Amino acid sequence: MTSNSPFHLSFIMKTGSTYLQFLAAAALAGQVVSAETIAQINGNKYLSPYNGKNVTNVNGLVTAKGPSGIWIRSTAPDSDERSSESVYVFDRNFGKNLTVGDVIQLNGTVTEYRSSKAYVYLTEIINPKLVQKISSGSAATPRVIGKDTLSPPNKAFSALDNGDVFGVPNNVSLISVSNPTLVPRNYGMDFWESLSGELVTVKSAHALTKPNNYGDTWVVGDWKVTGLNSRGGLTTVDKGKSGNMEKYWKWLTTSRCKP
């Protein structure tokens, strides 16, 4: 199976009464801060340093729309490989009058969401308020994994597992509690977290399993992998010390990077 299709692993401030009312409400609800970039919102760890805070004047390019929100990518990316340049904006109605390629400025509240304790938190912006649409028609170009990003590391799963992929997560060393600084060059979980929300593409995708009932499957791209077996899959090797984190859970429909 091969595929080159993209899929899915922020200037004028409004000063009218609506905006002032929003600031007043935000001040009562929590601290109002100004995050200059999406990378700053994501931070270099699993949990956002702005979690629970209201952010203003966040600029982003709309890279995709979903039934419950949109994804935006920073218009001023930094060089820190640990922080994702994209974030999910959760609101079913916010993107109705927006299209992919729009550059927007918004205010909102940063939160961490997961539907199950077994999942890693997803950094989101909720209660978004559109300040302005800056422009339209920009290209939403997917980043090629292994070319525009680092290549996925192929040995260590996490800094928290003591060298054994089966050692985390557990009740002693929860990622959501430890919240380690990401080292995407070394750890697979950190690598995929550093791309959370990004529009990406996998070149020469190779399916490792048959699709499940939802049409989902694991794939690897044209990067170096370990444990490739005669059945075309990846075998966990070295007594669990390799998590084969170079593989990617690919939705066969439009999707996003998710660790």
Side-chain angles (χ1 to χ4, degrees):
M1 173 183 174
T2 59
S3 172
N4 290 329
S5 60
F7 59 90
H8 300 102
L9 272 251
S10 274
F11 287 157
I12 301 173
M13 184 171 66
K14 183 178 179 182
T15 57
S17 60
T18 300
Y19 181 71
L20 293 177
Q21 289 170 4
F22 167 73
L23 284 182
L28 292 175
Q31 182 180 358
V32 179
V33 296
S34 179
E36 294 182 1
T37 67
I38 292 173
Q40 288 178 326
I41 291 175
N42 284 314
N44 59 14
K45 298 183 178 183
Y46 281 87
L47 304 181
S48 170
Y50 291 91
N51 185 25
K53 297 180 179 180
N54 300 301
V55 291
T56 63
N57 305 326
V58 180
N59 296 324
L61 166 69
V62 179
T63 56
K65 296 179 64 176
S68 298
I70 65 172
W71 288 264
I72 59 174
R73 175 187 289 165
S74 176
T75 55
D78 61 22
S79 58
D80 190 346
E81 62 192 22
R82 301 170 299 178
S83 54
S84 173
E85 298 293 341
S86 295
V87 70
Y88 183 55
V89 181
F90 176 75
D91 188 290
R92 289 178 174 84
N93 298 313
F94 182 72
K96 282 186 175 180
N97 297 319
L98 298 174
T99 60
V100 172
D102 288 345
V103 176
I104 62 173
Q105 185 177 82
L106 60 83
N107 302 326
T109 304
V110 179
T111 191
E112 297 287 349
Y113 171 79
R114 61 180 178 181
S115 59
S116 167
K117 291 183 179 180
Y119 298 159
V120 175
Y121 281 103
L122 173 67
T123 301
E124 299 180 343
I125 295 178
I126 60 173
N127 304 321
K129 304 295 181 182
L130 182 66
V131 176
Q132 69 165 338
K133 181 165 70 173
I134 298 171
S135 64
S136 299
S138 296
T141 305
R143 300 177 65 188
V144 179
I145 294 182
K147 179 181 177 181
D148 301 321
T149 75
L150 299 172
S151 291
N154 54 26
K155 292 184 179 181
F157 183 80
S158 167
L160 303 177
D161 64 8
N162 295 319
D164 185 347
V165 66
F166 299 115
V168 68
N170 54 48
N171 292 327
V172 177
S173 184
L174 295 175
I175 286 176
S176 57
V177 174
S178 299
N179 195 27
T181 299
L182 302 179
V183 188
R185 291 179 179 270
N186 294 349
Y187 304 113
M189 284 288 292
D190 294 7
F191 172 81
W192 295 113
E193 176 68 17
S194 72
L195 294 178
S196 178
E198 286 279 17
L199 177 66
V200 299
T201 193
V202 171
K203 297 292 186 179
S204 303
H206 168 80
L208 300 172
T209 63
K210 293 182 179 180
N212 63 15
N213 293 336
Y214 300 99
D216 306 334
T217 188
W218 290 99
V219 302
V220 293
D222 56 359
W223 51 77
K224 183 180 179 180
V225 299
T226 57
L228 190 64
N229 58 43
S230 60
R231 295 172 60 88
L234 292 183
T235 301
T236 298
V237 296
D238 197 17
K239 297 182 180 180
K241 293 183 180 180
S242 171
N244 298 130
M245 290 299 290
E246 62 267 38
K247 63 183 181 293
Y248 180 85
W249 183 245
K250 180 186 177 184
W251 286 262
L252 298 184
T253 54
T254 300
S255 187
R256 281 279 167 161
C257 274
K258 296 190 73 174

